[in-house]
Amino acid sequence: MTTLAAEGPIVAMRDPARDRRLVRAWLHLVALMIIGIVVVGGATRLTHAGLSITEWQPVHGVIPPLSDADWQDEFSKYQQIPEFQLNPGMTLADFKGIFWWEWGHRLLARLIGVVVLLPLVLLWATGRIERALKPRLVAILLLIGLQGAVGWWMVASGLELRTDVSQYRLTTHLTLACFILAYVLWTARSLAPSYTPAATPTRAAAVLIVALAFVQIFLGGLVAGLDAGLTFNTWPLMDGALVPSGLFLQEPWWRNIFENVATVQFDHRLGGYVLFAVSLLYALFASRTPQAPGSQRLAFLVLLQASLGVATLLTMVALPLALLHQLGAVIVLSYAVTHLRAMLPPLPVRIALAPSA
């Protein structure tokens, strides 16, 4: 910390570089936790654990069942929802197996809220957050709260009339999580001291890749919501053709995009092809200039993610491969976002006075 001598007492000034490193480390921890909860969320979906806890108890729900009576009470609540009717032979031991996935998912969500809120208050109170940064960090906190509400809104869709959660709400929940992740990483990268200026066409291509990654994640959410990965388990052909029949059987036509299993899977395949082609062309173009370092790594990550997608499909959504595929999606998005932000100047530094002792 430096000081300024003036006509009066010595005034302490904050070291903005050190404060920014601290804030960036905190935001990177938050990003890692979001990546973790996306993967755990995928596991809850694949193990059909998402409806095992039928109540939203933000505080009391931290404590899991501790006695046989508690477990039986939780199980009896689950037995009242339509999903249980699909597997009436489920035992209490079976129920515990899915319960822990959902409980862990909700516990991690609560921990993310704590890891966002407490450091935010501490950093703010000690003057380590610049004025221009404050609304962005508050926005992250509000988005985390909104995500919790959307998560319960999703779960509630499967508790009364459906035997599963709505694919619309599941996709909203997943896409919002990825948006929060992107915003956290974008904010963190804006505090880095260095950047690589890029021409407008290069930045536009990087923006396109980020947009395509979001679209592909959205389409993947629909695939998960409809269990579309359990059908048409061949590649590169789908139902014996590159373009299968029956893509627009429902009326009106747009419902097929969200509710037709064949259309949803085909769109997800097509989105993967487009993302890979664009990232490959981008890497080839960027390799001729010094403007976009890392473009080749981005293309490789997209290729790896596409390969995981094919393997997941061919194995009829084997759990380890499916979770790696979900992890790959958020890694591609994370790299694409930070790659784009590195082309832009950092947030201007505004030197702030430290709080007086």
Side-chain angles (χ1 to χ4, degrees), residues 123-139:
L123 292 170
W124 193 312
T126 54
R128 288 178 168 82
I129 301 178
E130 303 159 42
R131 178 177 298 178
L133 191 58
K134 289 178 179 178
R136 306 180 190 205
L137 300 180
V138 171

Side-chain angles (χ1 to χ4, degrees), residues 107-118:
L107 179 64
L108 184 52
R110 293 179 175 96
L111 289 176
I112 291 174
V114 171
V115 170
V116 171
L117 176 60
L118 293 186

Side-chain angles (χ1 to χ4, degrees), residues 20-169:
R20 285 192 166 195
R21 287 195 297 270
L22 183 60
V23 172
R24 286 183 67 201
W26 165 51
L27 292 177
H28 285 146
L29 173 62
V30 173
L32 284 173
M33 294 182 73
I34 294 173
I35 291 173
I37 200 170
V38 169
V39 175
V40 173
T44 63
R45 171 61 188 172
L46 292 167
T47 57
H48 299 283
L51 297 177
S52 58
I53 302 178
T54 60
E55 296 176 331
W56 190 25
Q57 299 175 321
V59 178
H60 179 68
V62 174
I63 304 174
L66 300 177
S67 65
D68 291 341
D70 291 340
W71 276 112
Q72 192 58 55
D73 181 57
E74 287 288 343
F75 189 32
S76 64
K77 292 174 183 177
Y78 179 71
Q79 289 173 315
Q80 304 306 311
I81 68 172
E83 185 181 69
F84 176 77
Q85 307 308 318
L86 296 178
N87 188 18
M90 174 182 285
T91 65
L92 180 59
D94 296 330
F95 173 74
K96 290 180 180 181
I98 64 172
F99 177 92
W100 285 118
W101 276 114
E102 177 62 8
W103 181 83
H105 183 61
R106 296 193 188 194
L107 179 64
L108 184 52
R110 293 179 175 96
L111 289 176
I112 291 174
V114 171
V115 170
V116 171
L117 176 60
L118 293 186
L120 175 60
V121 172
L122 181 60
L123 292 170
W124 193 312
T126 54
R128 288 178 168 82
I129 301 178
E130 303 159 42
R131 178 177 298 178
L133 191 58
K134 289 178 179 178
R136 306 180 190 205
L137 300 180
V138 171
I140 291 172
L141 177 63
L142 294 177
L143 285 169
I144 294 294
L146 175 62
Q147 176 69 341
V150 170
W152 175 249
W153 175 65
M154 175 192 68
V155 170
S157 67
L159 296 179
E160 295 183 2
L161 301 178
R162 300 172 57 99
T163 58
D164 220 333
V165 299
S166 162
Q167 75 272 22
Y168 293 100
R169 299 189 187 189

